[in-house]
Each structure stands twice: as structure tokens, then as C-alpha cells.
Amino acid sequence: MTAAVVKPPGMLTESEAAEELARLGPAIAHHDDLYYNRSAPEISDADYDDLRRRNALIEARFPTLARSDSPSRRLGAPVGGGFRKVRHAQAMLSLDNAFAHADVVEFVARVRRFLGLAETEPVALVAEPKIDGLSASLRYQAGRLVLGATRGDGREGEDITANLRTLDDVPEVLAGTRFPDVIEIRGEVYMTKVDFAALNDARVGAGESPFANPRNAAAGSLRQLDPQITATRPLHFFAYAWGEVGAPGNTFSLGENLWGARARLGSLGFTLNEPAILSADLDEILAYYDDIAARRAQFPFDLDGVVYKVDRLDWQQRLGAVSRSPRWAIAHKFPAEQAKTVLKAITVQVGRTGALTPVAQLEPVTVGGVVVQRATLHNEDEIARKDIHPGDLVVVQRAGDVIPQVVSVDPDQRRADAKPFRFPDRCPVCDSLAIREVGETVRRCTGGLICEAQAVERLRHFVSRDAFDIEGLGEKQIAAFWADGLVRSPADLFRLAARAEDIAAREGWGETSVANLLAAIAERRTIPLDRFVYALGIRQVGQTTARLLARNYLSLKALRAALESAADETGEAYQALVGIDGIGPKVAADLAGFFAEPHNLSVLDDLADPDYGVRVEDFTAPENASPVAGKTVVFTGTLAATSRAEAKAQALGLGAKVAGSVSARTDYLVAGAEAGSKLAKARAAGVTVLTEDEWRNLIGIGS
Ligand code: IVH
């Protein structure tokens, strides 16, 4: 780069910055169009990334100049360096897990209840092996591969098209002559066990570090910035699902059943997970599972379970998804793998809510293909119950992606001088008193904001993937920034642009990494309300609750006002809060508690400061707004056409709010058969009462 021509963003005057932003916006839009819509980019990815990074850096310096048409406000925005981010046309979901046969029985029962099926109605399932790799999405337009992406957080992944193109199992052009104008194929990228061993041998021979397992090897190979390297790695792809399917250009249809759809994916040129079965007989399904589990080692690739999916696609549609998992599928995992090792010591970690968690420090041991050195011990009662002493020989287990656990100890192997572990009653980080409230299993540090561990953990949560999703800020960096006073509260992150030189002067940071970090922060300045609420790290408020709150209060302003008022448990705001279906008194207490703390409110004020502030987007109901979007609905009595669960899910899907009890805020009470006190209350309060049919007509699914 010719430094004389391009001024660093930090040296631009305000008017120069404004001029440059006005030029960069349309230029980036032009290149996006060439890339996404015409597949004919004019500049290299690196040059493109430079444009975006510069735009973000200038915005970081002059936030008030950020234009409404800024690329950082558009979707598909890449974070500086690495791969371009892409938004999935349809979310890539993950699966709920079943471990015991009984969990599978319950899964089918749940499907029946949701759909309101009679006991006698068969529920056919497709069962397939579950491959332990990483998922990818392939988008075909007019039968040609135009985009290949990683799953990412499910909504947004990374553009790894060039790398996926190098796989033999990924057709460049769909087979046959019939396909929709757009189709996204989802599947798993994996490496066989034999190829994995050979790759590791070669790496060790070349003085490189080996991969821990085939899954990591596949992930590492796929995430190469240079597709030439990916091309040398033996990767494979199995297709098991699809995302967006556009207009059926020439009479292509996936049909009405998964079993048939699978075969059609095969005829488009994809390899499928085999052996698969279709059966409505649960005994047969479970026998299939037992058979695959018994033959697991003989498969050429790693399996971690089998997947069951409801065969009827119309039922899949009705079942929909909750949070990130479809209600129509479940992964039946193989039993956890176990190994024995020595417990070297027990350390105590402090989480963002002050909870003290004991952690087992282990002699490294391989469990199910992964080296384990640490495992959770849950809490002090668990240590006592399992009679765990430091120095013991312990059994460690790993199931899927869950954190390894210590299952049991072998007391016969214990040394005579072994002493039981004494759980500290002071915070190991800030030395404040750590107390255990009556009825609680968890001991908590009372240090609050003065406790570094809590502060750092809160910041970590704030920038984590499902919250602000700021890349390049891991535990180490945050701890170091905190220790130096560079970042003490969330708002400080958005002031970092002014400290670029201080950061660059630190060990491990160069100009590029600082630029990338600042660009990543600048790109995340605008955030949807639900993510923002989740980022606050309020106790018990996970993504689902955060989404419920966003949907119910719509704007940060309204949410804050309501939750500040909710401290009064006799007041209307509190009643409205616990009236939200899915929010009970315990969560309500934590929410009210959070918004009653002056220091939490000052964090919110700080973040909202327009000079370096965060823009929290109001919750918007799903597109093609329905007449019930934004309305509060209560269901009561027995419904005939659907189960209560399905009716609620439909209402939520249309942007309505579902409450558990009738209040002055209720817009509709939908009364099924044998409605009782809620109906009486609604009538008394003058709430509109609908029959089930009237409701179904209103939402446009009546007969
Ligand atoms: S179906 C919406 N089928 O397992 C459901 N997933 O733990 C899409 N996986 O994210 C998933 N083999 O990466 C499905 N036969 C199979 C699978 C499979 C492996 C992966 C997939 C998914 C993860 C969930």
C-alpha cells in the first residue's frame, strides 16, 4: 500500500472522513452486487476486506458520521480479515439430544401431543447415522453452486465456497435436469479415520502438530484461507437436510416425505448418510440404534449417535423449531466414553454471576478422541457426595460436546495421607466472603463489581457469539485489557478506537490485529434487542428468555421502564412480567433485581451515550405482518384442531405475545372447550373472546 496516498483513519479530519464514507458505501455495495448476485467479482477478497475494514475504522472514529446506507448496517458483513460473513437464508439448526431409550419414547410422545395425534396414528421416522464432522450449507442457483458456508451461529456463517468446491462429494452442477431455481443443501463435512491417521503421520513427520481427532482435522482443513491446501485434504460430504428451496423451476419437488426427499437429494448428485431406515415401529427404530452402536467402530468415519426425523414434511412444518432445535428431529447419542486418570488438584473458578465452581485439574488423558485435562465438579455437594479427594484416581467421561465430568473415584487407590477438599468460604479471586444461601447448591462471591473474575466473565459473555459476537476478544485479551484498566465496563469496548495505539503497543498485538478488532467492534455497534438483553448477562436470562422479553416489550426503552417498575411486586408492571408465558417468579425476581441496581443502569446509560453508543434495534415482528402481530393472546380450555402447544407456537410465529393469564393487556382470549375461570375473567375485563375457529380464521388457517 502506498502510505502517502491513504491517510490512516486516525488522521482524517471530519470532513475528509465524511467524504470517504460517502465514497466507500456505494463502492462496497457495487462489489457486493458483483459478488453475490452476478458471481463476477472485480477485486480480490483481500482488497474487498480492506475496503470494509477502512469503512468500519472510519466509522469507529466518527460514529456520528455512519451513514444509514453504511455497509456495516447491511447483512452479510464480514469481520476484518478471514472469511466473508454470510447470512443463511434459513437458519441452520442443531439438534436436541436423547441419551436413553426412554428419551426417544418421550420424543415421539411429544410429537404426538404437539400434533394432537391419536395413540393409534403411526408416526413414521427416518433414522440415519449421525456423523461427527461439521455442518455446511451449499447454495445452488439454476443448478450451479454459488455459495458454500459454515454453520457459524446458525444465522450467519462464513463464506468458504472456494474450499467446499474442492470436495469431490460437492457437485459443481446438480445432476439431472430438474431442480428448483434455488436450493440449499445442508450436510456434514468429515474425514475418514484412515485419512485422519495418514494426515497426522505426515504432519508429525513434517514437524507439525497433529490434530486431536478427525472432526478437528476436517474443521482445520476446511477453514484454510488458501483453498489449495483444502484441496490436498481428503474431505467428504454427506447431505442430510435442506434450507431454502425456491420456486420449483421445472416441476422439481422434494415431495411430501423425508424418505422420498432423501432419494431426490441423492439423484441431484449428493451422497447420503447410510444405512438409513424408515419405520413407524419404535422397537425397530431402537433396534437400529443398538445395531449401529454395536458396529460403530467398524464404520470408516466417527459416529456419535443416530438421528431420528419425522418423515412427513407437513408435520415437520407444523412442528417447527424451538430455540435452535427442530421439534421434529432428535439425536440419539451413543453412551459417553470414559477413561481413568489422576486428579492432580481442585481449583475454584468464579463465573459472571459470582458462582464458585470447582474444577478438576487432571493428568491429561484421551477420552473419545479428545485430550482432557480439566473437568467440572459442579459444586461442593457433588464433591462430598462422590467423596472426591485431590490425588484420587478418577473416572472421567465425555458425552458429545458437553464439558467433561468426573463420574466417580476409586477409593481403594487413595493414598493414606489424602485429605478431603475444603471448599473455600472466600472468593479465590477477590477474597470477598463467598456465601451459600439457604436452599442453594451454589456458593457465590459477594464482591460484585470489585471482583475481577466476575467483571471479566461478564465482559466475556457480553462479546460472546450469541451476544455482541465480537471476534478477536478472547478470555486472555479481556483479562489483560481489564487488568490495565483499558476495558472495565461494556461501554469501554466502544471507546477502544481512541486507544488503538495503546493496544498496538501491547505484546501480541500488531497494527493489523488492532485494526481487525476495531473493525469487528464497529460492525457490531447495531444490535437486535434480544441479543442486547442476552448480552447483559442477567442471571437465568438465556437466549430464549431474552427473545421473549424483546417480543413483549419491543424496545429497549419500554423494556427498561417496565423492568425498573417491576421491583414492586404488587404493581402492574410486575404482574405483566409474570403474565408472560415462560417467565416465572424466579426469573422475574432476577430481572427486577438487575434493573434495581444503580450500577447496572449506569452501564445501560453509558452504552446508550450517542457519542460512542450502541444502537439497539427495536424488535420487529416477522415479515408480512399478521393481524395478530404484537397482540397479546391467552389460550384456555381444550382446543380441537391443534394442541395448545402448537397453537401457542403458531401465535408466536406470527409475532403475537402469548400470556399465561388474563389481564387488562390481553387482546384476545382463545377459549376452547371447558374453559373455566380465565374465560370468566376475560368477560369481566371486557377482553375479546374468540372461539378456536374464530382464532384460526383470524390467523388465516381456518377451514
Ligand atoms: S439433521 C435441522 N442428520 O449433527 C436438523 N444432522 O448435533 C439438521 N449431523 O448440526 C440436522 N449427521 O451438523 C442431521 N444424519 C444427520 C446428521 C446430522 C450429523 C450433525 C449436524 C447437526 C448436528 C447436531
Side-chain angles (χ1 to χ4, degrees), residues 234 238 296 317 379 421 424 484 586-587 593 636 668:
F238 276 137
R296 176 180 183 187
Q317 185 77 31
N379 55 55
F421 178 69
D484 286 5
K586 282 191 174 165
V587 178
T636 188
Y668 299 115

Side-chain angles (χ1 to χ4, degrees), residues 93-95 128-131 134-135 151 188 240-241 273 307 309 326 328:
L93 302 172
S94 61
L95 296 171
E128 293 179 334
K130 182 167 177 334
I131 314 296
L134 56 145
S135 44
R151 176 172 184 276
E188 201 83 349
Y240 52 63
N273 293 21
V307 184
K309 309 174 199 180
W328 46 263

Side-chain angles (χ1 to χ4, degrees), residues 662-675:
V662 174
S663 75
R665 290 163 198 269
T666 311
D667 293 295
Y668 299 115
L669 178 84
V670 180
E674 282 152 54

